Every structure is written in structure tokens, then in C-alpha cells.
Amino acid sequence: MAIVERVFSGVQPTGNLHLGNYLGAIVNFVKLQETHNCIYCVVDMHAITQGADVWGGPAELARNTREVAAAFIAAGVDPKKHIVFNQSQVSGHAELTWIFNCVARVGWLSRMTQFKEKAGKDRENASVGLYDYPVLMAADILLYRATHVPVGEDQKQHLELARDIAQKFNNDFGDSIRGQGFNEGLFFPQPEPLITGPATRVMSLRDGTKKMSKSDSSDNSRINLTDDADTIAQKIRKAKTDPEPLPSEEKGLETRPEADNLVGIYAALSGRSKQQVLSEFGGGQFSSFKNALVELCVEKLSPIASEMKRLVADPGHVDAILVDGAERANAIAAETMKSTKDIVGFIRSR
Ligand code: TYM
């Protein structure tokens, strides 16, 4: 079983899917379909790692799972040519996590900044699942022996951990891996993060030093993929800026986080570089730039919002897509699990 190039990525169904998720991840999901076999997963098992106050309880979880799947499809992911499914339908994710739990070191997980942020001061009260979250993420990727993982900047550290786990597994079980016929002792690939484009870290519209986030208590801090045109316009007009006109050179954005963020969003949505955007708008006032940004956002996001609405109105249809995707994902996952069990020495039926 040689390693073939394969793309895997996931999005949590925790509500409020926003422009950061779209530009940092989903846009790249769509592009990669042209060159790779892609697997896109709604990671419902990750969603329950925080309290029900965060994920909303069972009915909300199911609704949000369908909504993320709908967002993938509305943005242009093709669930027939590629795979779209929800994580909990493929048991290999949990099985491989257990094996990886015994490979990963407590010290590695203790360094994860996202855990520290999410657990806050009351770390003793965080779930074990929240601590183990990056190991499940490594299992997600490596269950398909995926080689490329499109994500936003905030997932970089988790990807490094996935690479460390793959390497340690390959080392720890090197002899057994060779014994199973994998010549170079290389069973799991080193998954490469793909963090590309001018908006790999979209910031809050209220504070250019904070990441745009699903959990920000201010809805004005983000543009949700389900926002209508009026809401988008209002949020962009209210977005924090500074009193200076826009610079003409990218260097001029360095100390101006809010300006940098809005220019980055414009660049990403229009498929241009920040410099190209500044060549057009540099020297002008924010008000006219904001008008152009509203127009562009509405033009790009409205069709996605209406297609999402249409899809979530037919839950049976979305569920059928997820079940079909899960069956195809499981066929790949089962092969990996068979070999992994043989490598570890677990007896299984033939
Ligand atoms: P999640 O659900 O928080 O976010 C989904 C994707 O959106 C990106 N993202 C952003 N990009 C730019 N600017 C932002 N402000 C912004 N906020 C979020 C994230 O980087 C991510 O790519 N742990 C992952 C889900 C996951 C996963 C995986 C990803 C689980 N298993 C395996 C890749 C591979 C997460 O919480 O993403």
C-alpha cells in the first residue's frame, strides 16, 4: 500500500460558521478538488469536547452538522467526486485515536495553545476530550493517510503534533511496519499543512488583534456565512478602522491591524494580492473602500447563503450525502485500521 497524495480537512459543527472559516479553509477545499482526491469531514466528535453551553445539545449538534455540510456543498465542494461526511459515522477515528493516545506524550499536549485558551483558568474542570482534541485530529488525518491538510493559521500547531505522532508511530513500530511489507518503515505520511492565500488568519471586525471566532460574544465581530446582505453591510460599516487613509504600499499595513484585515478580506474574496488591492484603493478613505467591500462580500457570500438555506431545508437530502460519504470514507479507513492493527499486534478476524 503505497502512500498516495490525498487531502483531508475538517470543520467543527459548533454554529456561526464565518468568513474566517470560509477564507481560511473552505475556499481552499474547493480549489484542491481540481488536483487531489479530497475528504472533507464535519468533525462532530470534536464539537462535543466543550460543555453543552458551547455546542448547544443534541438537536443543535445535528442541525449544525447539516449546516457545515451544506456550507461545503454551497461553496462548491462536490460530494460525488470527493467525500463529505461526519466524523462519528466512521468508527476508525475513535479507534485510531486510542492507539495514538499511547504514542503521543503528555508533554506534547501540554504545549497546545488552543487547549490553554479554551480551558481558560479552570483547567481542572476541562474535559479530557478537550485535552485530547489534537490527538483525535491527528487520527482524522492519518486514518486516510492524508498528505495535505488545508487549514487556517490557527491549526498549525495541531498539524505539527500530527506530524510528530506519525513519525513516532513509524519509529516505535519500525520493525513491525517493515515486517508487514512497508519497505522504508514508513506507514503514516507526514501530513503537510496548506495554509495559503491572503486571509489565513481573518481577524475580528471589532478588534484587529483578535481572531474572528465562532465563540466571540459579539455577533458584529464576524460575518456569518448565513448573514443576509443588510447584516453584512451593517457589520462592515461598523467595523473598526483608524483615522488614516489606506496606504498605497503593503508595508503601510504593518502597524494597522484593522486596515490590514479588511484589505486581506478584500484580496481573498477578489482573488487578488493585498498589494493589488492597495494599488486600487490606496490613498482613499475607508468609507469608499468599505462600500466596495460590502458589495464584494454580498456578491460572493449571498449565493452561498441561499444555497445553504435551500440545502438545510431538506435534511433528508443532506443526511443521505453524509451517509454515502461515510461509507466511502469507511472503505479507506478500514484498510488503514487493518494494517495498523497488524502493525501493533492486535489479533483480528481475517
Ligand atoms: P474549526 O472548526 O475551528 O475551523 C475550521 C477551519 O477554519 C479555519 N479558521 C480560520 N481561518 C482563518 N481565519 C480565522 N479567523 C479562522 N477561524 C477558523 C481553521 O483554521 C480551520 O481550518 N481542529 C479543527 C477541525 C479539525 C481538523 C481536523 C482540521 C478536526 N480534525 C483534521 C484539519 C484536519 C478546528 O477546530 O477547526
Side-chain angles (χ1 to χ4, degrees):
M1 200 170 25
I3 287 173
V4 287
E5 286 209 349
R6 183 176 278 142
V7 165
F8 181 96
S9 196
V11 174
Q12 289 195 73
T14 34
N16 298 336
L17 215 53
H18 54 69
L19 188 62
N21 301 127
Y22 178 64
L23 294 177
I26 299 172
V27 161
N28 294 327
F29 295 4
V30 176
K31 277 195 202 133
L32 284 160
Q33 296 181 110
E34 288 162 26
T35 48
H36 288 77
N37 289 322
C38 303
I39 304 178
Y40 297 127
C41 183
V42 188
V43 291
D44 48 6
M45 288 157 67
H46 277 106
I48 63 167
T49 51
Q50 284 183 281
D53 52 327
V54 176
W55 58 274
E60 193 67 9
L61 179 63
R63 205 190 68 79
N64 287 336
T65 300
R66 293 184 186 113
E67 189 174 275
V68 173
F72 290 173
I73 296 163
V77 169
D78 181 342
K80 289 207 174 82
K81 285 203 188 118
H82 300 271
I83 295 179
V84 172
F85 76 109
N86 59 311
Q87 188 185 30
S88 59
Q89 292 205 69
V90 178
S91 61
H93 291 259
E95 285 183 70
L96 190 58
T97 296
W98 183 256
I99 295 172
F100 284 172
N101 278 338
C102 304
V103 173
R105 304 289 95 176
V106 170
W108 300 358
L109 289 178
S110 303
R111 285 195 285 274
M112 294 294 117
T113 50
Q114 191 161 306
F115 172 74
K116 290 181 201 164
E117 278 165 25
K118 285 193 174 167
K121 289 206 177 76
D122 196 8
R123 212 178 282 188
E124 291 291 304
N125 215 11
S127 76
V128 176
L130 186 65
Y131 189 66
D132 203 31
Y133 179 113
V135 180
L136 175 58
M137 186 164 154
D140 295 341
I141 300 164
L142 296 169
L143 185 59
Y144 305 94
R145 300 168 86 219
T147 52
H148 294 86
V149 186
V151 281
E153 171 95 28
D154 62 336
Q155 296 301 314
K156 198 170 168 198
Q157 195 186 31
H158 289 160
L159 257 293
E160 277 158 17
L161 186 95
R163 292 166 67 87
D164 288 344
I165 290 175
Q167 188 168 14
K168 189 166 188 302
F169 182 95
N170 288 340
N171 285 343
D172 288 359
F173 294 98
D175 289 342
S176 183
I177 290 171
R178 277 181 287 276
Q180 296 293 328
F182 297 95
N183 287 336
E184 286 143 42
L186 218 172
F187 180 64
F188 288 117
Q190 292 269 292
E192 231 182 88
L194 298 175
I195 303 173
T196 52
T200 56
R201 188 174 176 82
V202 177
M203 308 308 274
S204 157
L205 299 180
R206 310 298 299 160
D207 177 352
T209 62
K210 258 172 60 184
K211 195 180 70 170
M212 185 178 282
S213 149
K214 293 171 186 164
S215 55
D216 196 313
S217 56
S218 161
D219 195 54
N220 282 329
S221 69
R222 64 181 162 261
I223 293 174
N224 300 307
L225 289 189
T226 49
D227 282 346
D228 60 25
D230 286 347
T231 312
I232 293 175
Q234 250 179 39
K235 286 179 177 177
I236 292 178
R237 296 217 168 91
K238 275 196 194 144
K240 190 177 166 200
T241 48
D242 57 45
E244 302 296 318
L246 278 170
S248 301
E249 300 297 324
E250 212 177 324
K251 203 161 171 24
L253 293 172
E254 274 172 14
T255 50
R256 300 174 62 187
E258 284 83 18
D260 186 34
N261 190 38
L262 296 181
V263 170
I265 292 172
Y266 194 100
L269 283 172
S270 61
R272 287 193 268 173
S273 67
K274 284 187 194 174
Q275 186 53 57
Q276 283 169 323
V277 175
L278 291 177
S279 302
E280 184 178 342
F281 293 98
Q285 296 302 320
F286 269 109
S287 50
S288 54
F289 175 64
K290 279 184 169 179
N291 285 339
L293 184 58
V294 168
E295 210 173 291
L296 181 62
C297 267
V298 170
E299 178 197 323
K300 297 287 175 182
L301 299 184
S302 291
I304 298 177
S306 50
E307 181 62 3
M308 280 173 72
K309 224 185 208 170
R310 195 185 69 78
L311 286 163
V312 296
D314 187 356
H317 174 62
V318 178
D319 293 4
I321 290 172
L322 293 172
V323 168
D324 170 66
E327 276 169 15
R328 288 184 289 134
N330 195 45
I332 304 168
E335 285 305 308
T336 308
M337 282 318 297
K338 273 189 208 160
S339 301
T340 306
K341 286 181 179 179
D342 291 344
I343 288 165
V344 172
F346 289 157
I347 291 170
R348 62 175 179 87
S349 70
R350 295 278 146 183

